[in-house]
Every structure is written in structure tokens, then in C-alpha cells.
Amino acid sequence: MLGASLRRLREERDLTREEAGFHIRASESKISRMELGRVGFKTRDVEDLLTLYGVLDDADRRALLEMVREANTPGWWHKFGEVLPNWFVTYVGLEEAASVIRTYEVQFVPGLLQTAAYTRAVVQLGYPDASDDAIDQRVHLRMQRQERLKQKDGPRLWAVIDEAALRRPIGGPKIMHEQIEHLLEVARLPNITLQVMPFRFGMHAAEGGAFTILRFPESDLSDVVYVEQLWGALYLDKREDVDPYLTAMEQLCVESTTPGGTRDLLEDLLRENMYADI
């Protein structure tokens, strides 16, 4: 969040990253990494940037410098560093800070809604050569990420799942049966909205693939769109990049099942023969 605040302040002063970097005796790329939250923050650098950006009020400076301390304090997820890809560390930090998470998934059930058995099957598929210990750590990480949804101040999760993800028997019939029962259970929680994009719509607004939109409680912070790739991810926060995803998500929600229709569809899947052999 500190990086996003610094970028906003720089842009308000109409300064380039190169100009900001020169002011703190650093490169343009360092400013870019700072604004993306991909490098540690030095208090002196941030103090100098705040002066450059015209932030002179003591209270405003103290609030931003406190964010330096928080940003440099390792989050709980850093203990999974051996199995957590560098490009995903940023996402977990953003997810922890988000107040609203909107996600569309095509291939799998969203990670925040997966059972442990389903997660294990997904991890084994993606990391076939991983040790049992590494798999256990990845499963534990995903389960721990879900804990925030149970907290009183936890985020609101709005998930749209493509019907294909629910009909793909990840891990086999028994695991899928358990996973769909879990979706029926979590869909009753007040902070979770679950919809399904049914096959009958054919083409739809998000044919480009899965994505997640993160919104934060601080009104001056822009939404962040997360698009995961095979071995990396994109983080988009410029208005012109975010808006098309917001439009696509709104259209998905209009075209997908209502929460009541979602329950009906999930119950139909449980009754179908494809998950009967458990």
C-alpha cells in the first residue's frame, strides 16, 4: 500500500520515476520496484521522496513513515518463502490488505474457497516433482489465507466460477463431491457471494481468462487487478488498465446465476452420476 501511495503522490506532482530516482540517488527501476512493493523501503528514501512530493505536514508524514515500518515487517506468509514464488508474495500481501476481493475462475475453484483435499490435488498437478513436505506447506498456506474470511473484519469475497471448473473432476469424484458440498456451505456466509457462469451463455465478457480485482479500504488507493500466468503474474493498477476488468466483472455478475440459482446448480451437480461413485 505504501508503494501505491508513493506512486500517487509522484503522479500528482507530475514527476517521472527518473526524476524521483535522481532525488534519492537511485535508479528509475528502483522507484518502480518501490511503487510495486517489490523492494524493501529505507526510511531516509521515503522521507526524501515525501519532501520532493510536497508532503510537509507532520501528521501526514508520520502516517506514511509508519507504513514503512509495517511494509518492512515480514507478513505471516513469509515463513512459506521456500515454496512461495516471488511473484506471488506480492499478491498474498495485497490480498491480506484488501476489503473486497472479486474473482473469476475458469480452470479451478478459487483458492479461497478450496478444501484441503482439492488444494492438494491442484498442487500435485502443478508441481508433480514436489516433495510431500513442500506440498503440505503449499496446502497449509492456502488454508491459512482462508482464515481472514472468517474474521469479523475480513474482506467481502465475490466469486464467479465458470461451470467448467465445477465439472472438471479434480482429484476424482470423492474430492469433487466434498468440494461442492463445501461451496454450498460457504455460500451461506454473509461476506461471500458465489455465482456460476453457466455453459448456456456460450461467449461472455471474460473470455480472456481468470482474474482477480482487489479493492482496499483506503479510498485514495486504486484497485489492483491480478492476472496469473503459468510462471508469473501481472499486477495492474492504472485506471485505463483496471476499468476493462471492472466492466467484464460487472457483466459476468449480470449473466451468471443468482445466489439462489448457484445453490440449485451445485445441488444438481451433487445429484448427477458424475459424482455418484464416491
Side-chain angles (χ1 to χ4, degrees):
M1 298 302 97
L2 175 58
S5 296
L6 291 174
R7 194 202 70 191
R8 175 181 55 79
L9 290 168
R10 176 180 60 77
E11 291 178 342
E12 287 177 354
R13 302 292 287 192
D14 198 25
L15 293 167
T16 67
R17 291 190 179 96
E18 183 178 7
E19 290 169 328
F22 179 80
H23 188 73
I24 63 168
R25 302 158 299 282
S27 65
E28 177 184 358
S29 63
K30 179 176 179 178
I31 297 297
S32 178
R33 293 195 301 273
M34 289 176 67
E35 293 180 352
L36 291 171
R38 295 179 181 175
V39 67
F41 295 91
K42 294 181 179 179
T43 301
R44 174 63 183 275
D45 287 344
V46 175
E47 287 177 336
D48 289 347
L49 287 174
L50 293 180
T51 300
L52 175 66
Y53 299 158
V55 181
L56 305 178
D57 181 79
D58 286 343
D60 291 341
R61 289 177 70 92
R62 280 197 302 271
L64 287 161
L65 290 172
E66 175 62 19
M67 292 174 70
V68 174
R69 186 191 65 79
E70 294 175 357
N72 289 333
T73 302
W76 62 261
W77 55 92
H78 284 271
K79 67 183 179 182
F80 297 96
E82 290 185 4
V83 298
L84 194 62
N86 289 334
W87 51 265
F88 194 62
V89 172
T90 300
Y91 175 77
V92 179
L94 291 172
E95 185 182 81
E96 282 288 302
S99 58
V100 180
I101 303 170
R102 303 180 72 183
T103 186
Y104 170 63
E105 279 289 350
V106 183
Q107 185 81 358
F108 304 110
V109 170
L112 290 175
L113 299 177
Q114 293 178 6
T115 64
Y118 184 97
T119 294
R120 184 172 299 276
V122 171
V123 171
Q124 289 172 332
L125 177 66
Y127 300 90
D129 299 323
S131 66
D132 290 342
D133 181 62
I135 291 173
D136 288 343
Q137 288 190 63
R138 291 178 187 277
V139 173
H140 184 51
L141 168 64
R142 193 159 299 181
M143 295 302 102
Q144 186 138 351
R145 284 170 52 207
Q146 297 178 8
E147 288 301 308
R148 263 201 85 224
L149 294 174
K150 304 173 186 177
Q151 299 170 1
K152 288 184 178 180
D153 61 345
R156 175 174 175 77
L157 174 63
W158 195 322
V160 179
I161 308 175
D162 196 278
E163 186 175 346
L166 300 175
R167 292 187 175 275
R168 185 171 291 109
I170 301 294
K174 183 176 182 180
I175 287 176
M176 280 305 301
H177 190 279
E178 180 186 75
Q179 176 62 67
I180 292 175
E181 286 186 326
H182 179 67
L183 290 176
L184 280 167
E185 180 179 345
V186 297
R188 298 187 182 98
L189 297 177
N191 61 322
I192 294 179
T193 299
L194 182 59
Q195 295 183 266
V196 177
M197 168 50 67
F199 285 149
R200 68 175 181 270
F201 272 95
M203 296 286 291
H204 56 75
E207 288 294 333
F211 62 92
T212 298
I213 305 172
L214 302 167
R215 180 161 292 174
F216 307 97
E218 297 83 1
S219 59
D220 61 333
L221 294 180
S222 63
D223 293 348
V224 174
V225 174
Y226 170 77
V227 183
E228 188 168 315
Q229 300 171 325
L230 189 59
W231 290 114
L234 296 175
Y235 294 89
L236 310 173
D237 62 355
K238 292 185 177 179
R239 186 62 180 265
E240 61 267 26
D241 295 327
V242 171
D243 281 352
Y245 286 93
L246 289 171
T247 299
M249 180 60 79
E250 294 295 338
Q251 192 61 35
L252 279 170
C253 293
V254 169
E255 296 177 347
S256 296
T257 58
T258 63
T262 298
R263 288 192 294 271
D264 292 342
L265 189 152
L266 293 174
E267 289 169 352
D268 287 345
L269 284 174
L270 289 178
R271 287 191 290 266
E272 288 184 10
N273 289 334
M274 61 184 295
Y275 298 142
D277 183 20
I278 62 171

